[in-house]
Amino acid sequence: MGRPPQADGNISVRTVEPMPGYADLITRSCSALLSAFNECRGCGFELSKRTLLENAILTWSDIVLFAVCALGWTVLRQALSAYIFRPLGRWCALQPKDASKMPESVWKLLFYTASWSYSFYLLFFTQYTFFHDPPSAFYDWKRGMAVPTDIAVAYLIQGSFYGHAIYATLHMDAWRKDSAVMLLHHVITLALITFSYAFRYHNVGILVLFLHDVNDIQLEFTKLNVYLKNRAGVYHLLNDLVSNLGCVSFGTTW
């Protein structure tokens, strides 16, 4: 083995700090965060609270409309499941485990198709140019600006649906291994929708909803074909092929 380089007039020796282990990394990170928190004045939680109170605008009428619509989604889903979705599953002679999941996927497929279509209408058939010119979503922004009615309707639809989805995951959907993750997803999504509305970033929010909802359409359509590929004890190749194509399509667009 060669000797380590010696320091002289032309060579500088640099000491390389060894990589910490996971335990050391977590300990030092927490220590640095606590130190920064203790030294912080007028920032952190206080800054977040002040920013929220000074810039976020959410009225009681917004909250009441949200609650009423979330309840409406729940009642509508219960009615459609009882009178259409479950009878349809029995008519298709699905396997019991698939029949219990099918109403949820049909419901979500219908909702996301409708909500994405409305976003498509706003972005391509109105005066908004957010899709073709994304920076225009931030033009003339100001605190407390009025939200156009058509965009406010889109936010009400989406926000109330995710409020319903939190309840539905706990009390209506078939419980799965990833249900806890889905519950967290719904809570975070509702928070993002609420804050973007309250801080008046609704223009870019519509663009984000348009780009994300199309993935949910593909996901639920794919799941439906997974359930439909075995009906009345018979394997259906077409549904299997469609479900595989849907999986590839979802992975590509997502």
Side-chain angles (χ1 to χ4, degrees):
M1 296 178 62
R3 294 180 301 171
Q6 302 295 319
D8 57 26
N10 299 321
I11 302 176
S12 60
V13 178
R14 183 179 62 185
T15 302
V16 178
E17 184 177 0
M19 291 292 292
Y22 286 111
D24 188 31
L25 176 63
I26 294 174
T27 301
R28 289 163 60 181
S29 298
C30 291
S31 177
L33 286 173
L34 283 174
S35 177
F37 180 80
N38 291 330
E39 295 174 0
C40 180
R41 294 295 181 270
C43 58
F45 176 76
E46 289 301 322
L47 177 60
S48 299
K49 180 181 177 181
R50 188 167 66 250
T51 301
L52 184 66
L53 294 175
E54 292 177 356
N55 297 282
I57 298 177
L58 202 62
T59 66
W60 279 109
S61 61
D62 294 328
I63 297 173
V64 170
L65 280 172
F66 161 81
V68 170
C69 290
L71 178 61
W73 288 124
T74 303
V75 172
L76 179 61
R77 175 177 171 180
Q78 287 178 332
L80 291 175
S81 296
Y83 295 106
I84 298 178
F85 301 155
R86 292 194 190 99
L88 180 62
R90 290 193 293 269
W91 181 79
C92 291
L94 300 179
Q95 297 182 3
K97 63 182 181 66
D98 295 331
S100 66
K101 299 175 184 177
M102 191 270 280
E104 175 190 345
S105 288
V106 176
W107 166 251
K108 290 181 178 179
L109 177 62
L110 292 175
F111 171 80
Y112 287 121
T113 301
S115 63
W116 182 82
S117 298
Y118 184 56
S119 299
F120 184 89
Y121 163 75
L122 290 177
L123 292 173
F124 295 95
F125 293 96
T126 64
Q127 74 276 16
Y128 304 120
T129 59
F130 312 141
F131 185 84
H132 301 95
D133 182 24
S136 66
F138 301 98
Y139 293 166
D140 301 321
W141 178 92
K142 60 179 179 292
R143 183 175 66 89
M145 64 188 294
V147 181
T149 301
D150 49 6
I151 292 181
V153 168
Y155 263 79
L156 178 60
I157 291 171
Q158 293 275 358
S160 61
F161 179 81
Y162 280 101
H164 148 77
I166 293 172
Y167 171 83
T169 301
L170 292 171
H171 301 289
M172 300 178 71
D173 298 344
W175 191 260
R176 304 178 178 86
K177 293 180 180 179
D178 64 344
S179 291
V181 177
M182 288 304 300
L183 184 63
L184 179 62
H185 166 271
H186 297 334
V187 171
I188 293 174
T189 302
L190 178 58
L192 291 171
I193 291 173
T194 302
F195 284 123
S196 68
Y197 178 85
F199 286 101
R200 298 305 189 251
Y201 289 110
H202 47 272
N203 292 342
V204 70
I206 287 296
L207 186 57
V208 172
L209 290 170
F210 169 76
L211 295 174
H212 280 252
D213 279 353
V214 69
N215 296 315
D216 290 304
I217 295 173
Q218 295 173 84
L219 175 62
E220 300 304 332
F221 180 73
T222 300
K223 288 163 67 175
L224 273 177
N225 278 277
V226 171
Y227 304 149
L228 292 170
K229 70 181 180 181
N230 289 300
R231 305 194 302 274
V234 178
Y235 168 75
H236 291 77
L237 177 61
L238 178 60
N239 293 111
D240 195 14
L241 291 174
V242 172
S243 65
N244 289 327
L245 290 174
C247 183
V248 173
S249 174
F250 172 79
T252 302
T253 59
W254 188 77

